[in-house]
Amino acid sequence: MITADLFRDPSDRTTPIRLGEGASLLPGFACDRAEAVFAALEEVLRQAPLRRMRTPGGHVMTVAMTCCGDRGWTSDADGYRYAARDPASGRPWPPMPEVFAELATDAASAAGYPAFVPDTCLINRYVAEAKLSPHQDRDERDLSHPIVSLSLGLPARFQFGGRHRSERLLRTTLEHGDVVVWGGASRLAYHGVLPLATGRHPMTGDCRYNLSFRRAG
Ligand code: MD3
Ligand code: FE
């Protein structure tokens, strides 16, 4: 068997599910604040519009991205990095909304990482067929901080493995309101998102958003 589905009881929206060493799925953790988070997201997107970035290898990503907070992740022909300004506008990234930071701190705490304070949020938007190939996130200065990830809108098939690309990938579905906290040994796990299936969600329409809260500086 190449991949395996993780057991989920759809009626259980409270118990953390262990995805790996240091990684917890909190099903529906953000459902009750999704409306407030989405309103704040729309305001951020007005100030720093989503854009499809170019990879150092010369491809244009299918996922559209933007950021908020003290710095933001960007990619272009020169490589990947965190920068204090939005290269599209030359202005600082929009400030991180309080509802974002509070959600990230609360989720990290529920997963066993007390006092997590993000300094950036990377916002990904997937439309049908958009995907993210397996990769590691290692551009942050101190990899002892976890990453907190929130899914909004259409569901996605998410895959994750180990610290080496050769390790077997497991799959799970990330749904609207789900939060995953990645720390410890899972912080350097390879992970990716399979091409998004067409659909419609009452909050987001034909797309999925993923917000990942990080401490990059
Ligand atoms: C596992 N985003 O932006 S979030 C990314 O759904 C990214 O948009 C995906 O991977 C998305 O870099 C997945 C879940 C996630 C985020 C960071 C991780 C999983 C992670 C870091 C280490 C291990
Ligand atoms: Fe990632």
Side-chain angles (χ1 to χ4, degrees):
M1 193 170 71
I2 297 167
T3 61
D5 265 283
L6 290 151
F7 173 76
R8 304 226 349 224
D9 175 352
S11 69
D12 182 356
R13 310 299 289 175
T14 52
T15 310
I17 296 169
R18 186 182 176 281
L19 295 181
E21 180 76 49
S24 298
L25 168 62
L26 307 173
F29 185 85
C31 279
D32 59 352
R33 32 181 137 171
E35 205 73 60
V37 168
F38 191 66
L41 172 62
E42 289 187 304
E43 181 54 35
V44 168
L45 297 183
R46 274 191 283 276
Q47 299 171 55
L50 290 154
R51 79 292 307 261
R52 290 172 63 190
M53 296 180 189
R54 196 171 289 275
T55 67
H59 294 99
V60 176
M61 300 176 80
T62 55
V63 179
M65 300 178 166
T66 191
C67 302
C68 62
D70 295 341
R71 56 198 105 247
W73 188 86
T74 60
S75 177
D76 60 22
D78 298 332
Y80 310 122
R81 66 195 166 280
Y82 282 96
R85 286 171 182 271
D86 177 353
S89 68
R91 287 178 283 135
W93 296 100
M96 173 129 31
E98 242 170 76
V99 285
F100 282 22
E102 193 175 13
L103 170 69
T105 299
D106 290 352
S109 169
Y113 298 96
F116 173 64
V117 179
D119 62 7
T120 181
C121 172
L122 173 61
I123 299 158
N124 295 341
R125 184 189 62 193
Y126 297 75
V127 294
E129 300 304 330
K131 66 180 170 70
L132 202 56
S133 301
H135 65 277
Q136 290 174 302
D137 289 27
R138 52 187 320 155
D139 297 328
E140 299 74 27
R141 195 183 297 278
D142 178 354
L143 298 174
S144 72
H145 295 295
I147 291 180
V148 174
S149 141
L150 164 66
S151 294
L152 291 175
L154 291 177
R157 294 292 287 164
F158 175 74
Q159 50 185 5
F160 62 97
R163 287 167 167 261
H164 303 279
R165 196 179 278 283
S166 59
E167 285 174 71
R168 181 173 72 110
L169 297 172
L170 298 175
R171 290 180 181 179
T172 190
T173 300
L174 295 180
E175 291 180 50
H176 177 75
D178 285 354
V179 174
V180 189
V181 181
W182 302 89
S186 294
R187 181 63 181 75
L188 285 174
Y190 274 87
H191 59 279
V193 179
L194 295 168
L196 194 80
T198 303
R200 186 149 285 275
H201 187 276
M203 184 174 287
T204 64
D206 62 1
C207 67
R208 166 182 187 255
Y209 291 95
N210 181 267
L211 278 55
S212 54
F213 305 96
R214 302 150 186 258
R215 186 153 192 101

